[in-house]
Amino acid sequence: MTDGTGSGAGGEAATPEAPVIVSSAAGSFPWGVLTRRHPALIKQVRDAFPYEPWQHSALDALLASVTDGVIEPLPPGAHDAAQWEAWGGGEQYGRRWGDAPFLWAESYFYRLLLGAVGYFGAGPWQSVDPFAPFKRAELRGDTVDSELAALDLLVPLPERERADALLRASLWGNRADLGFRLDSAGGEAAEKDNRLVADDSARLWSLLPPGGAATVQLVADNAGRELIPDLVLVDHLLHSGRAGRVVLHVKPCPYYVSDATTADVVDCLRRIADADGSAALTGRRLWAALADGSLQLRAHDFFRAPLPYSAMPDDLRAELSGSAVTLLKGDLNYRRLVGDRLWPETTPFATLTTYFPTPVAALRTLKSDVIVGLEAHTLAGLEAERDAWRTSGTHALVQVRERP
């Protein structure tokens, strides 16, 4: 399929300088996901539920397929068989998993995993999230209590400092202890800022002045402890007047282990509201914002597609259009935003996002190979570190393209 702009399958620019990322190279990050992470995940899901014999058989078949098989089409009776065909299945069925585009193969694996445990079928296991135990475990315990209690430390700060702290919290997620312990003189916050490979935070805030009452679109990433700081940031945008309305986009079904669904949003809202102090106030405001429409939830089916955002359908484009900015959280959204290709690292971020219908901001910790928008000196310093800076989650970025 094409997007009408002379691009290749799925709307990605077909440039020889940017080969599509695949999983076939032994020792590569995508190869590790395909050969190690996915088999391990099948076992974890199997062990997390008292599944029935037919589900164990289906999980065994999926394991055999991803380890030593080819990509097979969905059963003819599957509710979304035609959809996956339209999403490029006709080009991928029959290929070995490692030879398919990494983004496509990884996404399709999760569709098959949901099918194997009966998520889509009629019966008692319909709509039972196979990843729910992992998500909910993150919300339990004293750690989350202490992180939410640290919100009280932000109350006396000037609005811009508070906004910066909450943006960093959303960026780093649970790797930053929610980022609520802001130390402007140094310490952990300063160390994490040194790990930012690009920082367009000031450009982002210029799009959202206090009192501007703009509409902000936020495409969520992970649930659990990583969704909490996203929701706290949403509350600040609304409460400070930087946004008059926030539309929060989540997945329409469980996806990529920890991606947020509507149920995960509700779980996090309850966790925040059940805390003490400033966190409880935040939770009550967010609950009220959903009731009055200033916070709205969306779960468009395209958010589980194995395609870049350049291929987004017209109704989603119309939903986003006219907003002050779209915030895209996390690594998967970044891959879909710029295209899951081995771009030259100094390729301008704006060049690859001109198609997007609004100003756009990527908030991402680096957990995969694709990266663009780096300064040459920044890239040289990162390569000199000789560590897995692209994939380890130790580095992050804030990149903004201001005009659609």
Side-chain angles (χ1 to χ4, degrees):
M1 62 182 292
T2 64
D3 63 357
T5 59
S7 52
E12 297 180 60
T15 59
E17 297 82 13
V20 173
I21 296 174
V22 296
S23 310
S24 55
S28 68
F29 175 77
W31 177 86
V33 171
L34 181 71
T35 63
R36 296 173 182 163
R37 185 182 299 178
H38 287 175
L41 178 60
I42 291 172
K43 182 181 187 305
Q44 290 172 338
V45 168
R46 186 198 303 269
D47 293 345
F49 286 89
Y51 284 132
E52 300 177 44
W54 65 268
Q55 291 161 308
H56 285 281
S57 295
L59 289 171
D60 288 341
L62 177 58
L63 179 61
S65 174
V66 298
T67 56
D68 192 30
V70 299
I71 300 173
E72 298 180 356
L74 295 173
H79 74 284
D80 53 351
Q83 185 176 57
W84 277 93
E85 183 79 20
W87 282 347
E91 301 170 26
Q92 309 307 332
Y93 299 147
R95 303 179 73 178
R96 295 190 66 84
W97 284 86
D99 295 332
F102 179 43
L103 175 63
W104 202 98
E106 194 175 12
S107 300
Y108 192 59
F109 166 79
Y110 284 101
R111 167 58 184 89
L112 294 181
L113 181 58
L114 291 176
V117 298
Y119 181 87
F120 297 111
W125 293 96
Q126 186 176 41
S127 299
V128 175
D129 184 350
F131 312 127
F134 317 133
K135 298 174 182 177
R136 290 170 184 162
E138 282 204 344
L139 295 179
R140 295 194 295 266
D142 296 338
T143 300
V144 176
D145 289 332
S146 63
E147 290 170 341
L148 290 172
L151 275 174
D152 294 341
L153 302 177
L154 300 185
V155 173
L157 294 180
E159 189 277 334
R160 177 57 186 270
E161 289 185 33
R162 191 161 62 252
D164 282 338
L166 295 176
L167 181 66
R168 291 293 189 266
S170 178
L171 171 64
W172 286 105
N174 61 15
R175 292 191 64 87
D177 195 22
L178 296 188
F180 295 149
R181 296 171 176 82
L182 180 67
D183 179 2
S184 58
E188 182 182 355
E191 169 63 21
K192 290 191 180 298
D193 279 354
N194 289 336
R195 292 287 181 167
L196 285 176
V197 301
D199 185 7
D200 292 340
S201 300
R203 297 173 67 186
L204 172 59
W205 292 130
S206 72
L207 296 171
L208 298 171
T215 293
V216 174
Q217 309 279 342
L218 173 57
V219 183
D221 184 36
N222 291 335
R225 285 178 62 200
E226 293 192 42
L227 183 57
I228 287 178
D230 295 343
L231 292 169
V232 174
L233 177 62
V234 166
D235 172 69
H236 181 76
L237 294 176
L238 292 170
H239 191 56
S240 67
R242 288 184 182 270
R245 182 175 73 115
V246 174
V247 181
L248 180 61
H249 298 269
V250 296
K251 298 298 189 298
C253 63
Y255 201 56
Y256 278 68
V257 185
S258 57
D259 283 18
T261 65
T262 298
D264 299 318
V265 173
V266 174
D267 286 344
C268 286
L269 286 178
R270 287 179 174 143
R271 186 68 170 91
I272 298 170
D274 287 343
D276 298 319
S278 297
L281 293 175
T282 296
R284 288 197 289 270
R285 285 196 299 260
L286 287 167
W287 202 277
L290 277 169
D292 66 27
S294 54
L295 173 59
Q296 300 175 356
L297 291 176
R298 298 286 189 273
H300 196 288
D301 209 42
F302 187 73
F303 286 113
R304 70 181 183 100
L307 304 174
Y309 285 129
S310 57
M312 75 174 70
D314 291 342
D315 61 335
L316 180 57
R317 180 175 292 272
E319 167 80 22
L320 301 177
S321 295
S323 302
V325 66
T326 299
L327 306 178
L328 293 172
K329 276 296 309 295
D331 199 77
L332 177 59
N333 280 322
Y334 190 86
R335 291 163 62 191
R336 298 185 69 188
L337 178 64
V338 303
D340 202 33
R341 292 173 172 264
L342 294 174
W343 299 104
E345 297 89 344
T346 56
T347 304
F349 176 74
T351 298
L352 298 180
T353 56
T354 54
Y355 70 88
F356 207 85
T358 72
V360 64
L363 308 179
R364 174 210 184 195
T365 53
L366 277 57
K367 298 177 183 176
S368 66
D369 289 320
V370 63
I371 181 72
V372 299
L374 297 186
E375 299 289 343
H377 66 87
T378 300
L379 177 61
L382 291 167
E383 295 291 357
E385 292 181 9
R386 298 181 180 274
D387 64 2
W389 62 270
R390 295 172 184 264
T391 59
S392 62
T394 57
H395 294 72
L397 60 79
V398 180
Q399 290 178 326
V400 175
R401 194 215 65 212
E402 297 178 71
R403 291 181 177 82

